[in-house]
């Protein structure tokens, strides 16, 4: 089963949103094997994961703009731009929190 070129950016956007929620709520979902260490307060792993997801939103935006269907192009521009800005704000806040918690 092959995916069409028009469905790849939409599917990538949905997958990236799901992964961002899993990374954000990882401490609640898997408290024993958490990527957010509760004792040290080190946020470098979540920062790196959110940065990779942010780059994924840029890739999904580029893939969406290169399609021929106008509805996919508009969805890609609007959705990926909004998610990119929101996740960049979250990364900025996490970076500030990480710098405050470091000795």
């Amino acid at each position: 089963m092959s995916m069409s070129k028009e469905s790849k950016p939409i599917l990538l956007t949905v997958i990236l949103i799901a992964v961002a929620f899993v990374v954000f709520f990882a401490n609640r979902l898997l408290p024993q094997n958490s990527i957010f260490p509760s004792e040290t307060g080190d946020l470098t792993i979540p920062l790196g994961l959110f940065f990779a997801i942010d780059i994924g939103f840029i890739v999904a935006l580029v893939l969406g703009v290169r399609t021929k269907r106008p509805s996919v192009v508009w969805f890609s521009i609007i959705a990926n731009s909004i998610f990119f800005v929101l996740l960049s704000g979250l990364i900025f806040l996490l970076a500030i929190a990480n710098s405050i918690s470091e000795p």
Side-chain angles (χ1 to χ4, degrees), residues 31-44:
Q32 292 85 17
N33 301 327
S34 177
I35 61 170
F36 296 100
S38 60
E39 291 127 11
T40 61
D42 187 27
L43 297 174
T44 55

Side-chain angles (χ1 to χ4, degrees), residues 68-89:
K68 302 223 186 288
R69 292 183 54 201
S71 60
V72 174
V73 172
W74 282 107
F75 172 80
S76 179
I77 290 172
I78 293 170
N80 288 316
S81 297
I82 289 172
F83 294 135
F84 175 75
V85 168
L86 290 176
L87 194 60
S88 295

Side-chain angles (χ1 to χ4, degrees), residues 7-52:
S7 65
K8 285 181 184 178
I10 296 172
L11 185 64
L12 182 59
T13 302
V14 171
I15 289 171
L16 288 171
I17 293 169
V19 169
F21 274 112
V22 168
V23 170
F24 188 75
F25 292 114
N27 196 22
R28 299 244 180 208
L29 295 174
L30 304 167
Q32 292 85 17
N33 301 327
S34 177
I35 61 170
F36 296 100
S38 60
E39 291 127 11
T40 61
D42 187 27
L43 297 174
T44 55
I45 295 173
L47 277 170
L49 291 174
F50 282 134
F51 185 70

